[in-house]
Amino acid sequence: MPRTKLSISRFAKVALPSTRAQHNAGFTLIEIMIVIAIIGILAAVAIPSYREYNQRATIAEATTALADHRNKMEQFFLDNRSYGNAGCGSAVATGLRFYTLTCTLGSATTYTVTATGNTSTNAAGFTYTIDQDNVQRTTALPTNWTGSTLPANRWITRRGG
Protein backbone atom coordinates (compact mmCIF):
# COMPACT_ATOMS: atom_id res chain seq x y z
CA MET A 1 0.00 0.00 0.00
CA PRO A 2 1.39 3.31 -0.94
CA ARG A 3 2.00 5.76 1.79
CA THR A 4 0.35 9.11 1.56
CA LYS A 5 2.11 12.12 2.74
CA LEU A 6 0.00 14.22 5.10
CA SER A 7 0.65 17.79 5.79
CA ILE A 8 0.54 18.97 9.42
CA SER A 9 -0.85 22.30 8.42
CA ARG A 10 -3.90 20.52 7.05
CA PHE A 11 -4.95 19.23 10.49
CA ALA A 12 -3.50 21.69 12.92
CA LYS A 13 -3.46 25.37 12.45
CA VAL A 14 -0.61 27.07 14.14
CA ALA A 15 -1.31 30.59 15.36
CA LEU A 16 1.59 32.82 14.73
CA PRO A 17 1.82 36.02 16.75
CA SER A 18 0.65 39.01 14.79
CA THR A 19 2.48 42.23 15.37
CA ARG A 20 -0.63 44.20 14.31
CA ALA A 21 -2.84 42.54 16.98
CA GLN A 22 -0.34 43.38 19.69
CA HIS A 23 -0.40 47.11 18.84
CA ASN A 24 -4.21 47.43 18.80
CA ALA A 25 -4.74 45.91 22.22
CA GLY A 26 -5.09 49.21 24.21
CA PHE A 27 -5.46 52.97 24.13
CA THR A 28 -2.80 55.40 23.17
CA LEU A 29 -1.70 58.17 25.48
CA ILE A 30 -3.20 60.76 23.13
CA GLU A 31 -6.62 59.07 23.25
CA ILE A 32 -6.56 58.99 27.05
CA MET A 33 -5.53 62.66 27.23
CA ILE A 34 -8.38 63.66 24.88
CA VAL A 35 -10.90 61.83 27.09
CA ILE A 36 -9.50 63.53 30.20
CA ALA A 37 -9.72 66.94 28.49
CA ILE A 38 -13.35 66.34 27.51
CA ILE A 39 -14.24 65.28 31.06
CA GLY A 40 -12.49 68.39 32.41
CA ILE A 41 -14.42 70.71 30.09
CA LEU A 42 -17.74 69.08 31.01
CA ALA A 43 -16.94 69.36 34.72
CA ALA A 44 -15.96 73.03 34.35
CA VAL A 45 -19.39 73.77 32.90
CA ALA A 46 -21.54 71.38 34.94
CA ILE A 47 -20.28 71.99 38.49
CA PRO A 48 -20.95 75.78 38.61
CA SER A 49 -24.34 75.26 36.98
CA TYR A 50 -25.23 72.64 39.57
CA ARG A 51 -24.16 74.91 42.44
CA GLU A 52 -26.28 77.76 41.08
CA TYR A 53 -29.21 75.38 40.66
CA ASN A 54 -28.90 74.37 44.32
CA GLN A 55 -28.78 78.03 45.40
CA ARG A 56 -31.89 78.84 43.39
CA ALA A 57 -33.67 75.87 44.95
CA THR A 58 -33.11 77.31 48.44
CA ILE A 59 -34.68 80.63 47.42
CA ALA A 60 -38.08 78.95 47.12
CA GLU A 61 -37.99 78.24 50.86
CA ALA A 62 -37.50 81.93 51.65
CA THR A 63 -40.12 83.30 49.28
CA THR A 64 -42.70 80.71 50.34
CA ALA A 65 -42.07 81.32 54.04
CA LEU A 66 -42.31 85.10 53.58
CA ALA A 67 -45.58 84.87 51.65
CA ASP A 68 -46.99 82.48 54.26
CA HIS A 69 -45.91 84.80 57.06
CA ARG A 70 -47.57 87.76 55.35
CA ASN A 71 -50.84 85.81 55.11
CA LYS A 72 -50.69 85.02 58.83
CA MET A 73 -49.99 88.66 59.64
CA GLU A 74 -52.97 89.78 57.58
CA GLN A 75 -55.21 87.24 59.33
CA PHE A 76 -54.00 88.54 62.69
CA PHE A 77 -54.67 92.12 61.59
CA LEU A 78 -58.23 91.28 60.50
CA ASP A 79 -58.94 89.75 63.91
CA ASN A 80 -57.22 92.41 66.06
CA ARG A 81 -57.05 95.60 63.93
CA SER A 82 -53.35 95.76 64.72
CA TYR A 83 -50.31 93.75 63.78
CA GLY A 84 -49.07 93.90 67.37
CA ASN A 85 -46.19 92.04 69.01
CA ALA A 86 -48.20 88.87 69.45
CA GLY A 87 -49.04 88.72 65.75
CA CYS A 88 -45.48 89.31 64.65
CA GLY A 89 -44.00 86.73 66.98
CA SER A 90 -46.65 84.04 66.58
CA ALA A 91 -46.53 84.02 62.80
CA VAL A 92 -42.75 83.54 62.44
CA ALA A 93 -42.07 80.22 60.71
CA THR A 94 -39.83 77.75 62.48
CA GLY A 95 -38.13 74.67 61.15
CA LEU A 96 -36.75 76.32 58.04
CA ARG A 97 -33.59 74.64 56.79
CA PHE A 98 -31.88 77.42 54.84
CA TYR A 99 -33.28 80.69 56.22
CA THR A 100 -34.04 82.44 59.49
CA LEU A 101 -37.14 84.64 59.61
CA THR A 102 -37.41 87.75 61.74
CA CYS A 103 -40.39 90.07 62.09
CA THR A 104 -40.01 93.75 62.96
CA LEU A 105 -42.96 96.00 63.82
CA GLY A 106 -42.76 99.59 62.63
CA SER A 107 -46.04 100.58 64.25
CA ALA A 108 -49.44 99.03 64.92
CA THR A 109 -50.09 99.05 61.17
CA THR A 110 -46.67 98.36 59.66
CA TYR A 111 -44.24 95.46 59.78
CA THR A 112 -41.31 93.98 57.87
CA VAL A 113 -40.46 90.30 57.72
CA THR A 114 -36.91 89.38 56.77
CA ALA A 115 -35.56 86.02 55.59
CA THR A 116 -31.80 85.81 56.05
CA GLY A 117 -29.83 82.90 54.58
CA ASN A 118 -28.07 80.70 57.12
CA THR A 119 -24.29 80.94 56.83
CA SER A 120 -23.57 77.21 56.68
CA THR A 121 -25.91 76.55 53.72
CA ASN A 122 -26.28 77.38 50.04
CA ALA A 123 -28.51 80.29 51.07
CA ALA A 124 -25.67 82.21 52.72
CA GLY A 125 -25.64 85.83 51.55
CA PHE A 126 -29.29 86.02 50.50
CA THR A 127 -31.67 88.39 52.33
CA TYR A 128 -35.30 88.88 51.32
CA THR A 129 -38.00 91.07 52.90
CA ILE A 130 -41.74 91.62 52.64
CA ASP A 131 -43.92 94.23 54.32
CA GLN A 132 -47.58 95.00 55.00
CA ASP A 133 -48.01 96.48 51.51
CA ASN A 134 -46.65 93.27 49.92
CA VAL A 135 -43.50 95.05 48.75
CA GLN A 136 -41.02 92.25 48.07
CA ARG A 137 -37.37 93.23 48.22
CA THR A 138 -34.06 91.51 47.78
CA THR A 139 -31.72 93.37 50.10
CA ALA A 140 -28.56 91.24 49.81
CA LEU A 141 -27.09 88.70 47.40
CA PRO A 142 -24.02 86.44 47.65
CA THR A 143 -20.81 87.69 46.09
CA ASN A 144 -20.92 85.07 43.31
CA TRP A 145 -24.16 86.65 42.03
CA THR A 146 -22.36 89.70 40.67
CA GLY A 147 -24.09 91.45 37.82
CA SER A 148 -27.51 91.24 39.46
CA THR A 149 -29.00 94.58 40.41
CA LEU A 150 -31.23 94.93 43.44
CA PRO A 151 -34.67 96.07 42.27
CA ALA A 152 -36.91 98.22 44.45
CA ASN A 153 -39.89 95.93 44.66
CA ARG A 154 -39.27 92.32 43.72
CA TRP A 155 -37.33 89.25 44.73
CA ILE A 156 -34.38 88.13 42.65
CA THR A 157 -34.61 84.38 42.17
CA ARG A 158 -31.94 83.78 39.54
CA ARG A 159 -28.57 85.26 38.69
CA GLY A 160 -28.75 88.36 36.54
CA GLY A 161 -32.53 88.62 37.03
Side-chain angles (χ1 to χ4, degrees):
M1 215 172 38
R3 286 183 133 189
T4 57
K5 204 173 188 183
L6 297 175
S7 171
I8 293 178
S9 66
R10 188 172 171 200
F11 294 106
K13 293 190 178 186
V14 178
L16 298 174
S18 170
T19 57
R20 189 169 266 266
Q22 288 175 350
H23 290 294
N24 291 333
F27 298 107
T28 65
L29 182 60
I30 293 174
E31 291 170 333
I32 292 172
M33 293 305 292
I34 290 171
V35 169
I36 290 172
I38 290 170
I39 290 172
I41 291 168
L42 290 174
V45 171
I47 290 173
S49 295
Y50 181 70
R51 285 187 182 146
E52 184 180 340
Y53 171 78
N54 280 337
Q55 280 185 323
R56 286 194 336 249
T58 64
I59 294 171
E61 181 182 77
T63 57
T64 302
L66 287 171
D68 184 48
H69 188 83
R70 182 177 181 277
N71 286 335
K72 290 178 182 177
M73 291 295 288
E74 295 306 318
Q75 288 172 350
F76 187 87
F77 185 82
L78 288 174
D79 292 340
N80 301 299
R81 291 297 191 214
S82 169
Y83 290 114
N85 287 332
C88 201
S90 66
V92 172
T94 57
L96 297 176
R97 182 175 172 197
F98 301 106
Y99 290 87
T100 303
L101 287 187
T102 55
C103 182
T104 307
L105 288 175
S107 68
T109 59
T110 62
Y111 69 89
T112 302
V113 184
T114 304
T116 306
N118 296 334
T119 56
S120 60
T121 66
N122 287 337
F126 289 102
T127 306
Y128 296 100
T129 63
I130 194 167
D131 64 13
Q132 73 283 345
D133 294 326
N134 198 27
V135 175
Q136 304 165 350
R137 289 191 178 102
T138 303
T139 57
L141 291 171
T143 55
N144 65 341
W145 279 48
T146 56
S148 299
T149 58
L150 298 175
N153 59 353
R154 87 171 197 231
W155 290 321
I156 294 178
T157 57
R158 57 180 54 232
R159 187 187 309 236

PDB file of all heavy atoms in Angstrom, residues 128 135-139 149-157 160-161:
ATOM      1  N   TYR A 128     -34.045  88.476  51.957  1.00  0.00           N
ATOM      2  CA  TYR A 128     -35.296  88.877  51.319  1.00  0.00           C
ATOM      3  C   TYR A 128     -36.223  89.475  52.368  1.00  0.00           C
ATOM      4  O   TYR A 128     -36.207  89.056  53.525  1.00  0.00           O
ATOM      5  CB  TYR A 128     -35.995  87.680  50.671  1.00  0.00           C
ATOM      6  CG  TYR A 128     -35.213  87.066  49.547  1.00  0.00           C
ATOM      7  CD1 TYR A 128     -34.459  85.915  49.742  1.00  0.00           C
ATOM      8  CD2 TYR A 128     -35.219  87.641  48.288  1.00  0.00           C
ATOM      9  CE1 TYR A 128     -33.735  85.355  48.705  1.00  0.00           C
ATOM     10  CE2 TYR A 128     -34.496  87.091  47.247  1.00  0.00           C
ATOM     11  CZ  TYR A 128     -33.755  85.946  47.464  1.00  0.00           C
ATOM     12  OH  TYR A 128     -33.038  85.398  46.435  1.00  0.00           O
ATOM     13  N   VAL A 135     -44.683  94.634  49.497  1.00  0.00           N
ATOM     14  CA  VAL A 135     -43.495  95.046  48.750  1.00  0.00           C
ATOM     15  C   VAL A 135     -42.417  93.996  49.023  1.00  0.00           C
ATOM     16  O   VAL A 135     -41.983  93.813  50.153  1.00  0.00           O
ATOM     17  CB  VAL A 135     -43.020  96.451  49.161  1.00  0.00           C
ATOM     18  CG1 VAL A 135     -41.722  96.800  48.455  1.00  0.00           C
ATOM     19  CG2 VAL A 135     -44.103  97.471  48.856  1.00  0.00           C
ATOM     20  N   GLN A 136     -42.001  93.329  47.975  1.00  0.00           N
ATOM     21  CA  GLN A 136     -41.021  92.248  48.069  1.00  0.00           C
ATOM     22  C   GLN A 136     -39.668  92.785  47.636  1.00  0.00           C
ATOM     23  O   GLN A 136     -39.526  93.268  46.516  1.00  0.00           O
ATOM     24  CB  GLN A 136     -41.450  91.090  47.169  1.00  0.00           C
ATOM     25  CG  GLN A 136     -42.828  90.596  47.482  1.00  0.00           C
ATOM     26  CD  GLN A 136     -43.396  89.711  46.383  1.00  0.00           C
ATOM     27  OE1 GLN A 136     -42.850  89.597  45.299  1.00  0.00           O
ATOM     28  NE2 GLN A 136     -44.525  89.082  46.676  1.00  0.00           N
ATOM     29  N   ARG A 137     -38.691  92.691  48.525  1.00  0.00           N
ATOM     30  CA  ARG A 137     -37.365  93.233  48.218  1.00  0.00           C
ATOM     31  C   ARG A 137     -36.289  92.189  48.427  1.00  0.00           C
ATOM     32  O   ARG A 137     -36.365  91.390  49.361  1.00  0.00           O
ATOM     33  CB  ARG A 137     -37.069  94.426  49.126  1.00  0.00           C
ATOM     34  CG  ARG A 137     -37.877  95.653  48.804  1.00  0.00           C
ATOM     35  CD  ARG A 137     -37.346  96.860  49.564  1.00  0.00           C
ATOM     36  NE  ARG A 137     -38.099  98.040  49.207  1.00  0.00           N
ATOM     37  CZ  ARG A 137     -39.047  98.577  49.957  1.00  0.00           C
ATOM     38  NH1 ARG A 137     -39.353  98.043  51.113  1.00  0.00           N
ATOM     39  NH2 ARG A 137     -39.680  99.654  49.549  1.00  0.00           N
ATOM     40  N   THR A 138     -35.284  92.258  47.572  1.00  0.00           N
ATOM     41  CA  THR A 138     -34.058  91.512  47.779  1.00  0.00           C
ATOM     42  C   THR A 138     -33.053  92.529  48.288  1.00  0.00           C
ATOM     43  O   THR A 138     -32.709  93.467  47.573  1.00  0.00           O
ATOM     44  CB  THR A 138     -33.556  90.879  46.470  1.00  0.00           C
ATOM     45  OG1 THR A 138     -34.588  90.050  45.951  1.00  0.00           O
ATOM     46  CG2 THR A 138     -32.302  90.069  46.695  1.00  0.00           C
ATOM     47  N   THR A 139     -32.605  92.359  49.526  1.00  0.00           N
ATOM     48  CA  THR A 139     -31.717  93.370  50.098  1.00  0.00           C
ATOM     49  C   THR A 139     -30.253  92.961  50.091  1.00  0.00           C
ATOM     50  O   THR A 139     -29.387  93.803  50.280  1.00  0.00           O
ATOM     51  CB  THR A 139     -32.146  93.705  51.536  1.00  0.00           C
ATOM     52  OG1 THR A 139     -32.156  92.516  52.311  1.00  0.00           O
ATOM     53  CG2 THR A 139     -33.540  94.326  51.550  1.00  0.00           C
ATOM     54  N   THR A 149     -28.683  93.317  39.737  1.00  0.00           N
ATOM     55  CA  THR A 149     -29.004  94.576  40.407  1.00  0.00           C
ATOM     56  C   THR A 149     -30.169  94.348  41.352  1.00  0.00           C
ATOM     57  O   THR A 149     -31.034  93.513  41.096  1.00  0.00           O
ATOM     58  CB  THR A 149     -29.371  95.667  39.384  1.00  0.00           C
ATOM     59  OG1 THR A 149     -30.472  95.196  38.606  1.00  0.00           O
ATOM     60  CG2 THR A 149     -28.197  95.979  38.479  1.00  0.00           C
ATOM     61  N   LEU A 150     -30.174  95.078  42.449  1.00  0.00           N
ATOM     62  CA  LEU A 150     -31.230  94.930  43.442  1.00  0.00           C
ATOM     63  C   LEU A 150     -32.402  95.828  43.078  1.00  0.00           C
ATOM     64  O   LEU A 150     -32.309  97.049  43.185  1.00  0.00           O
ATOM     65  CB  LEU A 150     -30.694  95.273  44.836  1.00  0.00           C
ATOM     66  CG  LEU A 150     -29.568  94.379  45.340  1.00  0.00           C
ATOM     67  CD1 LEU A 150     -29.024  94.888  46.667  1.00  0.00           C
ATOM     68  CD2 LEU A 150     -30.042  92.956  45.484  1.00  0.00           C
ATOM     69  N   PRO A 151     -33.514  95.252  42.635  1.00  0.00           N
ATOM     70  CA  PRO A 151     -34.671  96.074  42.271  1.00  0.00           C
ATOM     71  C   PRO A 151     -35.379  96.603  43.512  1.00  0.00           C
ATOM     72  O   PRO A 151     -35.181  96.098  44.621  1.00  0.00           O
ATOM     73  CB  PRO A 151     -35.564  95.100  41.506  1.00  0.00           C
ATOM     74  CG  PRO A 151     -35.211  93.772  42.065  1.00  0.00           C
ATOM     75  CD  PRO A 151     -33.755  93.842  42.433  1.00  0.00           C
ATOM     76  N   ALA A 152     -36.221  97.588  43.327  1.00  0.00           N
ATOM     77  CA  ALA A 152     -36.907  98.222  44.451  1.00  0.00           C
ATOM     78  C   ALA A 152     -38.046  97.372  44.994  1.00  0.00           C
ATOM     79  O   ALA A 152     -38.358  97.444  46.166  1.00  0.00           O
ATOM     80  CB  ALA A 152     -37.434  99.590  44.031  1.00  0.00           C
ATOM     81  N   ASN A 153     -38.686  96.581  44.176  1.00  0.00           N
ATOM     82  CA  ASN A 153     -39.894  95.931  44.657  1.00  0.00           C
ATOM     83  C   ASN A 153     -40.115  94.522  44.122  1.00  0.00           C
ATOM     84  O   ASN A 153     -41.219  94.159  43.755  1.00  0.00           O
ATOM     85  CB  ASN A 153     -41.118  96.795  44.320  1.00  0.00           C
ATOM     86  CG  ASN A 153     -41.239  97.034  42.837  1.00  0.00           C
ATOM     87  OD1 ASN A 153     -40.358  96.677  42.080  1.00  0.00           O
ATOM     88  ND2 ASN A 153     -42.327  97.618  42.419  1.00  0.00           N
ATOM     89  N   ARG A 154     -39.065  93.720  44.083  1.00  0.00           N
ATOM     90  CA  ARG A 154     -39.274  92.318  43.724  1.00  0.00           C
ATOM     91  C   ARG A 154     -38.115  91.475  44.211  1.00  0.00           C
ATOM     92  O   ARG A 154     -37.032  91.968  44.495  1.00  0.00           O
ATOM     93  CB  ARG A 154     -39.528  92.176  42.246  1.00  0.00           C
ATOM     94  CG  ARG A 154     -38.357  92.049  41.396  1.00  0.00           C
ATOM     95  CD  ARG A 154     -38.677  91.690  39.969  1.00  0.00           C
ATOM     96  NE  ARG A 154     -37.410  91.240  39.472  1.00  0.00           N
ATOM     97  CZ  ARG A 154     -36.855  91.667  38.374  1.00  0.00           C
ATOM     98  NH1 ARG A 154     -37.474  92.502  37.617  1.00  0.00           N
ATOM     99  NH2 ARG A 154     -35.682  91.250  38.032  1.00  0.00           N
ATOM    100  N   TRP A 155     -38.357  90.179  44.304  1.00  0.00           N
ATOM    101  CA  TRP A 155     -37.329  89.253  44.734  1.00  0.00           C
ATOM    102  C   TRP A 155     -36.538  88.757  43.535  1.00  0.00           C
ATOM    103  O   TRP A 155     -37.094  88.423  42.499  1.00  0.00           O
ATOM    104  CB  TRP A 155     -37.955  88.037  45.421  1.00  0.00           C
ATOM    105  CG  TRP A 155     -38.568  88.321  46.749  1.00  0.00           C
ATOM    106  CD1 TRP A 155     -38.097  89.156  47.709  1.00  0.00           C
ATOM    107  CD2 TRP A 155     -39.785  87.769  47.267  1.00  0.00           C
ATOM    108  NE1 TRP A 155     -38.929  89.147  48.790  1.00  0.00           N
ATOM    109  CE2 TRP A 155     -39.967  88.303  48.554  1.00  0.00           C
ATOM    110  CE3 TRP A 155     -40.717  86.865  46.782  1.00  0.00           C
ATOM    111  CZ2 TRP A 155     -41.043  87.958  49.341  1.00  0.00           C
ATOM    112  CZ3 TRP A 155     -41.786  86.528  47.577  1.00  0.00           C
ATOM    113  CH2 TRP A 155     -41.949  87.072  48.843  1.00  0.00           C
ATOM    114  N   ILE A 156     -35.229  88.709  43.675  1.00  0.00           N
ATOM    115  CA  ILE A 156     -34.378  88.134  42.645  1.00  0.00           C
ATOM    116  C   ILE A 156     -34.274  86.644  42.936  1.00  0.00           C
ATOM    117  O   ILE A 156     -33.866  86.255  44.029  1.00  0.00           O
ATOM    118  CB  ILE A 156     -32.976  88.780  42.642  1.00  0.00           C
ATOM    119  CG1 ILE A 156     -33.073  90.236  42.228  1.00  0.00           C
ATOM    120  CG2 ILE A 156     -32.040  88.012  41.713  1.00  0.00           C
ATOM    121  CD1 ILE A 156     -31.755  90.952  42.243  1.00  0.00           C
ATOM    122  N   THR A 157     -34.641  85.810  41.966  1.00  0.00           N
ATOM    123  CA  THR A 157     -34.608  84.377  42.169  1.00  0.00           C
ATOM    124  C   THR A 157     -33.618  83.664  41.272  1.00  0.00           C
ATOM    125  O   THR A 157     -33.423  82.468  41.402  1.00  0.00           O
ATOM    126  CB  THR A 157     -36.013  83.764  41.939  1.00  0.00           C
ATOM    127  OG1 THR A 157     -36.441  84.106  40.624  1.00  0.00           O
ATOM    128  CG2 THR A 157     -36.995  84.283  42.961  1.00  0.00           C
ATOM    129  N   GLY A 160     -28.546  87.428  37.621  1.00  0.00           N
ATOM    130  CA  GLY A 160     -28.750  88.364  36.537  1.00  0.00           C
ATOM    131  C   GLY A 160     -30.191  88.825  36.374  1.00  0.00           C
ATOM    132  O   GLY A 160     -30.485  89.657  35.540  1.00  0.00           O
ATOM    133  N   GLY A 161     -31.109  88.285  37.188  1.00  0.00           N
ATOM    134  CA  GLY A 161     -32.528  88.622  37.033  1.00  0.00           C
ATOM    135  C   GLY A 161     -33.018  89.548  38.090  1.00  0.00           C
ATOM    136  O   GLY A 161     -32.396  89.876  39.049  1.00  0.00           O
TER     137      GLY A 161
END
